[in-house]
Amino acid sequence: MALDTHSERRTETLEIPGSDLPRTEEMMVNMGPQHPSTHGVLRAVLTLDGERIVDVDSDVGYLHRCFEKICEQQNYPQIIPYTDRTDYLAGMTNELALVLTVEKAIGLEVPRRAQYIRTIMAELQRIHSHLIWFGTFALDMGATTPFLYSFRERETISDFFEEITGARMMYNYMRYGGVRNDITSEWVKKVQAFLKRFPENLQEYDDLFTGNPIVHARTQGIGKISAEQAIAYGASGPVLRATGVPYDIRRADPYLVYDELQFDIATASEGDVWARYQVRMQEMRQSVRMLEQLLAGVPEGEIMGKAPRIIKVPAGHYYGHVDSPRGEVGCYLVSTGERTPYRLHWRSPCFVHLQLLPLMAKGHLMADMVAIIGSIDIVMGEVDR
Amino acid sequence: MGVLKNVVNSVVGIAKGHKVTLKEMLRPTVTVMYPQERLDLPVGSRGIPVLLSDEQGNLLCTSCGVCERECPVQVIHIVSHRGEDKRKVLDEFDIDMSRCMFCGICAEVCAFGAIAMSDQYELDDFEQGDLIYHKDQLAAIGRTQRTPITNYGIKTEVGVLDQVRAGRASAAQTAAAPATSTPSSEGSRSE
Amino acid sequence: MLVDWVASLYQSVQATFVAHGWPLWVLAVLTAVLKVAGVLVWILLNVLFLIWLERKISGHVQNRPGPVYTGRFGLLQTLADALKVLLKEDVIPAGADRWVFVLAPLVAFVPSVMIWVVIPFSRGVQAQDLNIGILYVAALASFTVPSLLMAGWSSDNKWSLMGALRSAAQLISYEVPLILAELGVVVLAGSLRLSDIIAAQQRSVWFLFLQPVGFVVYFIAALAESNRTPFDLPEAESELVAGFNTEYSGFRWSIFFLTEYANLLGMASLAATLFLGGWSGPFLPPFVWFVIKTYFFVFLAMWIRWTLPRIRVDQLMDLGWKFLLPVALVNLVVTGVFVVL
């Protein structure tokens, strides 16, 4: 794969769609930071030729909250609630990225029950997050109703989270060495009942939205990237898998109990908006499959390992990563052996995917821009941190 | 014939979607009419942190200050002094609810079970200063505890937050009446 | 019947005028004013109801109750909203072309009311039974383009401008299949007069059964003409913020809103007249039939709106020129051959 991304980019711009059409005077339009479908505060400076996009310059930083700097002043348990607030739609997996890194650094053993619970939460979180993505993606395409349907199911999962963790979005649930609260058998039954009826809801979404010819026409062949480009730009998660690369950290570098689970890595080959759509819809089904296996076999035991009262990470550099609903969330930790990290870098998949935006959008129409932003599923809280 | 097949597929796809919306239209709604109806929150659901008391109504807090140290956003403010028997006596315990992020770490680190997350969450107020909750207010909410501590949380009486707030308003008025020299906005804070 | 009573009243008033030697043009002006007032009241009441209906339907489609607090079943919600909108500050952007900006909502609203001149509500209840009824409606429908262009251009906003240009492209492309579909009906009825078209349907069957293809083309094109999802590109919220009415607020915005629903109602009542036999029907009074048929189309349009995503601008053009136009043309030719034989 070419490391020189700049030359790669230049060759790619030669074959942008619609470049054979007559040109008119170009117009600059500010899409965002206040715009209904830039998913928060993304500002994309579009150069338009009529409705056709000539260039995209995405401007980030409107939601910067100094997450990484704050972490340098907090002791390790205090960082956990902050990670929830980076990618606020997938708090569980963010906490996991931090917690797994620190546990690896200090060599903590996590009881099997806690590992199971963590995996359950991570997969529930994936469905939870993908439901929002589905709703907002449909909203971007102009269909308002799927949004409400997906939120209906998401509420149920939020209730599950609230019952165990005490919160619906900002969980603060993972602990170094285990989890905060134990799950109950009634809770497990409730989740199992939900999983039983959830495929019907997915079928409903398919009937309503996936099978719609307008959706096909608006997503197929739009925002295409190749596998080489995706790898060169460091894409991960559904964006990478939609280009046909079956890379999933749950398989490539298994954490928790993923190596014991039966699941398929959802992939699609086209690399366009439609492919990313299908990958995410498929991932929800795979998560249901995983959750069924997990809930059937939660072992008895402790939920907290023997964590020291005061957590100090030995001096050194550590990296831990998990597959969040959006891609690879990485936690790069530099410690000098203190109670606080010396430096904590957060690898945000959304930030990486945003670099792909010009590549995807050039040559397409204004309306496709909205679909493309929706399909890479950015959360500005994570992009800016 | 390709065109015809395309048209038929499109019509079928669109018709399926309309079937779904028609079916959902005839279903009962799922909305909870919030101020009139309220969902029953599970125990452990994190509202504002409150102070718990024993049966005699004495606070369980020993002013050790762990919560103050461990709070990630540093919103807890404790002032205490040594009593006659050398034990710490709690003078002030303020939580700035406008900055609290309801992570629940204070309840978790408390070795005496003196703090728990309540199910009170409606924190609207007119003055910014009123969002700083004092020892007595936190204790008053904590005394209406209805359930044992589960997942570091308790359930309290419905509407206790409003009562506590109303109590503060009247207390502030009576306190401000004799001491006219203090500004009224400070009156509610300095009691 | 009410209609007969009104007719006899008119005749007696006319007789009084003749007897006293008063000029008859006064009577003509008087009746015209009354008719305009009647049509306006009809439209405003219906739009109030339609907005409520839209919100209720969208609510129930999405598993939520819609407006509930203002009045019984939230029926007064639109009234409350209208009041709120009227009380808002009248904002004209600094860079706006003042006069055009002010005129645009009016240019949009007036034609949507004028369509009602030729719509037959019941037997003989029609403001003016023009012999070129359909032509008149088609001519008025094209007025939407200049109004949206005016709104978009004068706002001095790039989103508005894009919305306006989209609307111009869209409305012009859909005018053609719309009129061709209407022509199929005209060929069958042998007249451009709307009352003749209803009479022709009373003689045979509803033209829906004779012109199924024409009906589909008409309905799709009419949805596009009235800027409703899946063809709401001129205002496309998720793409163009609010399209041509991004800069409009308060009263001026409410006129655009009113126009949208008046157009929807006009489109539905015309569909009822052309394809479902207008006011004719058994048992119930004709006016009730007219309302039922109109609201059937209104419901259909709303149902579609809350189900489908938005189509893209180039696909919209493709659908209009490459699919609807040929289909409408073939339909017209087949109808013509059929009639001649």
Side-chain angles (χ1 to χ4, degrees), chain C:
Chain C
M1 278 304 294
L2 189 71
V3 178
D4 303 327
W5 179 76
V6 171
S8 65
L9 185 73
Y10 179 80
Q11 267 158 12
S12 64
V13 171
Q14 198 179 23
T16 326
F17 264 73
V18 172
H20 289 79
W22 294 340
L24 276 177
W25 61 266
V26 176
L27 181 68
V29 169
L30 217 63
T31 46
V33 167
L34 277 176
K35 280 173 179 172
V36 167
V39 165
L40 267 179
V41 167
W42 162 258
I43 290 176
L44 289 177
L45 282 179
N46 264 290
V47 167
L48 280 185
F49 181 72
L50 274 179
I51 295 171
W52 173 84
L53 188 71
E54 176 108 275
R55 296 178 67 173
K56 273 290 181 194
I57 287 180
S58 76
H60 282 277
V61 162
Q62 298 168 353
N63 290 152
R64 52 190 183 85
V68 286
Y69 288 115
T70 326
R72 200 165 180 80
F73 307 117
L75 267 168
L76 298 178
Q77 184 67 46
T78 327
L79 216 58
D81 285 345
L83 200 66
K84 180 203 79 176
V85 158
L86 289 181
L87 291 176
K88 277 193 163 184
E89 188 190 352
D90 178 26
V91 182
I92 298 178
D97 192 337
R98 246 189 121 77
W99 275 103
V100 185
F101 187 83
V102 170
L103 272 177
L106 300 178
V107 176
F109 182 62
V110 171
S112 75
V113 179
M114 280 167 72
I115 287 178
W116 290 89
V117 168
V118 292
I119 302 281
F121 291 88
S122 171
R123 189 191 308 277
V125 182
Q126 196 174 4
Q128 198 62 254
D129 194 9
L130 290 180
N131 56 358
I132 48 158
I134 295 222
L135 197 60
Y136 173 78
V137 170
L140 281 175
S142 350
F143 260 92
T144 326
V145 183
S147 76
L148 298 193
L149 266 182
M150 282 164 74
W153 177 258
S154 65
S155 294
D156 193 26
N157 179 318
K158 286 168 182 170
W159 301 114
S160 303
L161 186 63
M162 277 165 81
L165 293 176
R166 275 183 177 192
S167 81
Q170 171 179 344
L171 296 182
I172 288 169
S173 356
Y174 278 80
E175 209 98 291
V176 185
L178 184 77
I179 293 170
L180 285 176
E182 286 169 356
L183 275 183
V185 172
V186 172
V187 168
L188 280 180
S191 170
L192 288 166
R193 196 191 287 266
L194 286 173
S195 56
D196 287 352
I197 290 172
I198 292 175
Q201 292 182 71
Q202 281 166 331
R203 276 197 304 278
S204 57
V205 288
W206 289 353
F207 285 156
L208 175 63
F209 305 116
L210 298 179
Q211 286 277 320
V213 179
F215 169 72
V216 171
V217 172
Y218 173 84
F219 194 72
I220 295 176
L223 276 181
E225 280 284 305
S226 50
N227 289 338
R228 286 184 67 84
T229 314
F231 308 107
D232 63 339
L233 295 133
E235 45 177 301
E237 195 208 326
S238 58
E239 294 156 25
L240 300 184
V241 189
F244 63 88
N245 56 26
T246 306
E247 295 290 348
Y248 280 88
S249 61
F251 182 60
R252 290 180 215 294
W253 173 83
S254 75
I255 291 191
F256 272 122
F257 201 60
L258 195 69
T259 310
E260 196 188 316
Y261 283 91
N263 277 336
L264 170 67
L265 197 67
M267 179 276 284
S269 57
L270 198 66
T273 308
L274 294 182
F275 293 101
L276 291 186
W279 43 261
S280 58
F283 311 121
L284 294 169
F287 181 66
V288 176
W289 272 113
F290 172 73
V291 172
I292 289 175
K293 286 170 183 172
T294 303
Y295 270 82
F296 169 72
F297 283 111
V298 166
F299 174 76
L300 216 56
M302 288 181 179
W303 186 15
I304 289 172
R305 172 166 179 183
W306 297 107
T307 304
L308 294 184
R310 186 182 308 114
I311 201 165
R312 205 174 59 206
V313 65
D314 58 328
Q315 291 158 357
L316 181 88
M317 295 297 138
D318 283 358
L319 182 70
W321 292 106
K322 294 185 188 162
F323 181 73
L324 288 186
L325 183 63
V327 167
L329 272 174
V330 168
N331 180 53
L332 187 61
V333 170
V334 169
T335 313
V337 169
F338 177 77
V339 168
V340 167
L341 291 178

Side-chain angles (χ1 to χ4, degrees), chain A residues 56-107:
Chain A
V56 183
D57 187 9
S58 49
D59 186 6
V60 300
Y62 288 89
L63 206 59
H64 185 63
R65 291 151 300 169
C66 309
F67 163 72
E68 290 173 6
K69 195 71 189 167
I70 288 174
C71 291
E72 291 168 19
Q73 283 129 45
Q74 305 280 21
N75 63 32
Y76 286 99
Q78 287 178 338
I79 298 174
I80 299 172
Y82 281 99
T83 59
D84 284 329
R85 287 156 174 81
T86 58
D87 177 357
Y88 43 77
L89 298 181
M92 288 291 183
T93 42
N94 293 327
E95 290 173 13
L96 261 183
L98 174 71
V99 166
L100 289 177
T101 311
V102 173
E103 278 165 4
K104 196 163 73 180
I106 52 182

Side-chain angles (χ1 to χ4, degrees), chain A residues 5-210:
Chain A
T5 49
H6 265 284
S7 64
E8 181 111 349
R9 202 163 165 179
R10 233 165 263 141
T11 52
E12 281 306 318
T13 48
L14 289 177
E15 15 176 322
I16 53 173
S19 49
D20 52 331
L21 295 174
R23 312 290 292 263
T24 58
E25 198 183 324
E26 288 173 1
M27 176 167 82
M28 297 267 276
V29 179
N30 259 317
M31 189 172 171
Q34 282 100 30
H35 186 279
S37 49
T38 51
H39 291 236
V41 285
L42 168 68
R43 173 169 168 239
V45 184
L46 305 179
T47 310
L48 296 178
D49 174 22
E51 288 229 7
R52 209 161 277 281
I53 295 166
V54 179
D55 199 10
V56 183
D57 187 9
S58 49
D59 186 6
V60 300
Y62 288 89
L63 206 59
H64 185 63
R65 291 151 300 169
C66 309
F67 163 72
E68 290 173 6
K69 195 71 189 167
I70 288 174
C71 291
E72 291 168 19
Q73 283 129 45
Q74 305 280 21
N75 63 32
Y76 286 99
Q78 287 178 338
I79 298 174
I80 299 172
Y82 281 99
T83 59
D84 284 329
R85 287 156 174 81
T86 58
D87 177 357
Y88 43 77
L89 298 181
M92 288 291 183
T93 42
N94 293 327
E95 290 173 13
L96 261 183
L98 174 71
V99 166
L100 289 177
T101 311
V102 173
E103 278 165 4
K104 196 163 73 180
I106 52 182
L108 259 181
E109 275 294 314
V110 181
R112 273 191 70 73
R113 185 175 174 83
Q115 293 206 359
Y116 261 80
I117 295 173
R118 283 179 175 185
T119 321
I120 290 170
M121 291 301 176
E123 286 312 310
L124 270 179
Q125 183 74 80
R126 191 178 306 274
I127 298 179
H128 193 251
S129 169
H130 279 357
L131 279 174
I132 290 209
W133 157 80
F134 171 75
T136 49
F137 181 68
L139 207 57
D140 290 343
M141 305 281 280
T144 30
T145 305
F147 179 72
L148 275 291
Y149 291 172
S150 71
F151 260 61
R152 187 183 59 197
E153 270 71 71
R154 178 180 176 268
E155 277 304 291
T156 321
I157 303 180
S158 290
D159 287 343
F160 294 152
F161 283 145
E162 189 179 20
E163 193 171 335
I164 298 304
T165 70
R168 298 170 84 82
M169 275 173 94
M170 306 302 167
Y171 312 107
N172 188 19
Y173 183 61
M174 305 292 171
R175 289 289 174 270
Y176 305 110
V179 292
R180 185 175 183 257
N181 304 324
D182 203 356
I183 59 172
T184 60
S185 55
E186 296 92 72
W187 186 82
V188 170
K189 282 203 189 75
K190 267 191 261 181
V191 179
Q192 276 168 334
F194 169 75
L195 292 177
K196 205 162 267 173
R197 85 189 136 82
F198 185 60
E200 283 169 31
N201 291 322
L202 280 176
Q203 184 59 44
E204 193 179 75
Y205 304 158
D206 279 350
D207 284 349
L208 179 60
F209 197 73
T210 317

